[in-house]
Amino acid sequence: VGAVLETDEHRALVETAQPDAPDLRHVWQLEGTGLADLRTGGADLDDAEVVQRRAATGAQSLCSIIYTSGTTGRPKGCELTHGNLLFDIGNAIPGLQALFNKQGSTLLFLPLAHVFARLIQCGAVQTGARLGHTADVKNLIADLGAFGPTFLLSVPRVFEKIYNSAKQRAHAEGKGKIFDVAEDTAIAYSEALDKGGPGLLDKGGPGLLLKTRHALFDKLVYTKLRHALGGRCHSAVSGGAPLGARLGHFFRGIGLTVYEGYGLTETSAASTVNLRDAIKIGTVGKPLPGVGIRIADDGEILLKGPHIMRGYWLNEAATREVLTEDGWFHTGDLGDLDTDGFLRITGRKKEIIVTAGGKNVAPAVLEDRLRAHPLVSQCVAVGDQQPFIGCLVTIDADAFPDWKSRHGKPSEATIGDLRDDADLHAEIQTAVDEANRAVSGAEAIKKFRILAVDFTVEGGDLTPKLSVKRSVVLKEYADDIAALYTR
């Protein structure tokens, strides 16, 4: 077994673990002499041997072992075959030809350990689209400006950050009212597109008044937002978690259509996807050709098809838990299919909160809406076997300085210093009130607690795709959760 690495840092990390991996015999480094070493090592290999090895590899051969993110427990290695990935690429890419073509380009900033990023990389190679890589999302806006992609691949958290940063910056510059009206216009315009037909005066599609208002804000606001993404970006693909209808309509309204899809590492990434001619914002699209889907009695999404992994690496017990004998994969996600066949994700089975009163609450609905506030970075709804739903909230470090300035707080004050500040609580309460509008009174957040620090990948609270590791957070912040129900 061999490993191909990029940097000295990667090499040092692998070398520390190598004593525990006796099967790892070769380590090559791209930045060093790795490629030259590979060529030299294969110089004496007989051509017939190469042909024989290529012929021995088929669609059912193992292509890659990709590990799950670990949001609901210990990561598991998914055995994905060449056929798994080829099936997904062959089904998803044709429906996204406006993105994947020789004139298309994308800047990949998700790690290639993420199956979604791996699929996009393979799709770009197959279609001849230009592909760039960047490792540091802190410099993402600058990198997008330099690269100028025509489409993006991302997880919802990045789209939330783009939106929140733009809104926060507009308010900081005294242009908040203009941005808010432009935002409402973009959403209304996108929603009207779904009604169909040219229409007049907002009936049957974007009417004359809405079109005029939209054109005005396109010059004043939307053009600047698109320019921040490199100036050429017209589309995006989002996966990993639900984006939310409001953000989906906002981005389409400003001229950046986000095609949401759904899948897991176990399903080689895509199982459903919105396409150019079959899109319904707020859903994750229709099943790809050849993909079977059904909703179990308890609301769990079940999938079947040639894209399903052959099993978990060295973990037969876990494989049997999710794969039935007749090939159905139990995703662990909850959802529903509408009358047009579009799938909507409503939560995850392992994350369902059951209150002391017996109410089942899917936290994703609340959390997605709460993160839409520019000052909110992350949030985790809690309340299992408790009398009401509570929430842990972290503050966005980028938005915090401007908020302090506008509210007359000391510039040197940290989030920890102000976590109990009345003005900060009032600000977050507005976000909580907005989130609560989406649920019943029994499901609403009654109390929240602001944490002194944000969740991070380095700290172990987030996965590389920026999803919260709920089990880790519940354990690490047990005292803060207890405080919600004892004060």
Side-chain angles (χ1 to χ4, degrees):
V1 178
V4 181
L5 310 174
E6 292 185 31
T7 65
D8 291 334
E9 182 181 359
H10 291 155
R11 173 181 281 276
L13 182 63
V14 169
E15 287 177 348
T16 59
Q18 199 160 4
D20 298 321
D23 291 335
L24 181 61
R25 296 187 296 274
H26 307 286
V27 178
W28 300 283
Q29 186 173 330
L30 293 178
E31 289 185 354
T33 61
L35 293 178
D37 292 341
L38 278 171
R39 295 189 188 97
T40 301
D44 297 329
L45 190 65
D46 186 68
D47 288 349
E49 176 70 14
V50 177
V51 172
Q52 180 180 353
R53 292 196 183 190
R54 289 184 62 185
T57 301
Q60 299 307 313
S61 301
L62 180 64
C63 176
S64 183
I65 298 174
I66 303 180
Y67 278 78
T68 58
S69 61
T71 52
T72 58
R74 184 180 178 86
K76 297 181 286 290
C78 301
E79 299 180 19
L80 301 180
T81 67
H82 291 276
N84 289 153
L85 294 174
L86 286 172
F87 173 84
D88 243 13
I89 294 168
N91 271 313
I93 301 306
L96 296 170
Q97 289 182 348
L99 283 63
F100 290 91
N101 54 62
K102 291 184 178 180
Q103 290 73 45
S105 62
T106 189
L107 184 65
L108 202 57
F109 47 88
L110 284 178
L112 289 177
H114 192 305
V115 68
F116 193 20
R118 190 81 63 87
L119 184 70
I120 295 296
Q121 182 188 52
C122 293
V125 171
Q126 178 168 316
T127 59
R130 182 168 168 252
L131 182 67
H133 295 269
T134 181
D136 191 354
V137 294
K138 295 178 181 178
N139 299 322
L140 181 58
I141 297 300
D143 290 342
L144 290 172
F147 189 80
T150 60
F151 71 97
L152 291 179
L153 158 75
S154 187
V155 292
R157 185 58 190 143
V158 172
F159 293 111
E160 290 169 357
K161 288 284 287 184
I162 292 172
Y163 161 77
N164 286 339
S165 296
K167 188 180 183 83
Q168 183 260 332
R169 185 168 58 252
H171 280 265
E173 296 173 353
K175 302 175 182 177
K177 291 184 178 180
I178 294 176
F179 184 93
D180 292 345
V181 177
E183 175 188 352
D184 290 341
T185 300
I187 293 171
Y189 185 84
S190 177
E191 290 175 338
L193 289 175
D194 289 338
K195 297 176 183 179
L200 290 173
L201 299 178
D202 301 345
K203 294 181 180 180
L208 181 60
L209 295 179
L210 183 53
K211 286 180 179 178
T212 302
R213 197 161 67 243
H214 184 268
L216 172 64
F217 285 121
D218 188 66
K219 294 181 179 179
L220 295 177
V221 180
Y222 309 150
T223 299
K224 295 178 182 178
L225 293 175
R226 294 195 300 270
H227 181 74
L229 299 176
R232 301 197 308 140
C233 195
H234 56 73
S235 305
V237 181
S238 177
L243 176 65
R246 183 174 178 83
L247 271 184
H249 282 300
F250 169 77
F251 279 106
R252 183 168 69 169
I254 70 168
L256 179 70
T257 301
V258 180
Y259 297 93
E260 275 196 89
Y262 167 72
L264 301 93
T265 311
E266 291 91 338
T267 68
S268 312
S271 293
T272 70
V273 68
N274 278 290
L275 304 173
R276 186 175 184 180
D277 298 323
I279 182 171
K280 185 177 288 188
I281 291 178
T283 77
V284 292
K286 293 183 176 182
L288 293 172
V291 172
I293 184 169
R294 69 186 188 194
I295 307 298
D297 292 340
D298 62 356
E300 183 178 11
I301 301 167
L302 308 183
L303 297 171
K304 188 176 184 179
H307 62 318
I308 304 297
M309 66 169 185
R310 69 183 193 186
Y312 292 120
W313 176 250
L314 301 179
N315 198 336
E316 292 184 9
T319 301
R320 288 194 297 270
E321 287 180 6
V322 298
L323 275 176
T324 64
E325 292 185 1
D326 56 354
W328 286 98
F329 170 66
H330 289 248
T331 66
D333 289 319
L334 301 172
D336 57 67
L337 288 165
D338 67 15
T339 55
D340 296 319
F342 286 86
L343 177 65
R344 193 181 310 273
I345 308 299
T346 58
R348 187 151 181 84
K349 284 182 68 173
K350 290 185 178 181
E351 295 179 355
I352 290 294
I353 298 170
V354 183
T355 66
K359 184 67 177 179
N360 286 11
V361 179
V365 177
L366 289 163
E367 293 165 355
D368 290 345
R369 291 179 68 97
L370 193 51
R371 283 195 305 268
H373 191 284
L375 200 55
V376 175
S377 177
Q378 295 288 353
C379 53
V380 174
V382 298
D384 209 41
Q385 300 304 311
Q386 296 292 348
F388 58 83
I389 298 297
C391 191
L392 302 179
V393 178
T394 70
I395 302 300
D396 191 304
D398 294 331
F400 190 55
D402 175 67
W403 182 88
K404 287 190 295 183
S405 176
R406 288 188 287 111
H407 289 80
K409 308 299 177 183
S411 59
E412 67 276 9
T414 66
I415 295 171
D417 295 333
L418 298 178
R419 62 184 297 190
D420 295 320
D421 180 82
D423 291 332
L424 184 58
H425 267 252
E427 186 81 29
I428 300 304
Q429 186 64 57
T430 62
V432 169
D433 293 342
E434 178 62 29
N436 284 342
R437 291 174 58 187
V439 298
S440 67
E443 300 169 286
I445 297 170
K446 299 298 193 296
K447 292 177 67 176
F448 63 87
R449 188 167 174 82
I450 297 172
L451 301 181
V453 295
D454 200 358
F455 303 146
T456 64
V457 175
E458 295 76 16
D461 307 304
L462 300 179
T463 70
K465 67 174 184 178
L466 306 182
S467 297
V468 174
K469 293 183 178 180
R470 188 174 297 271
S471 60
V472 173
V473 170
L474 295 182
K475 181 178 180 180
E476 186 175 349
Y477 296 96
D479 291 342
D480 288 282
I481 295 171
L484 288 168
Y485 301 100
T486 56
R487 296 182 182 181

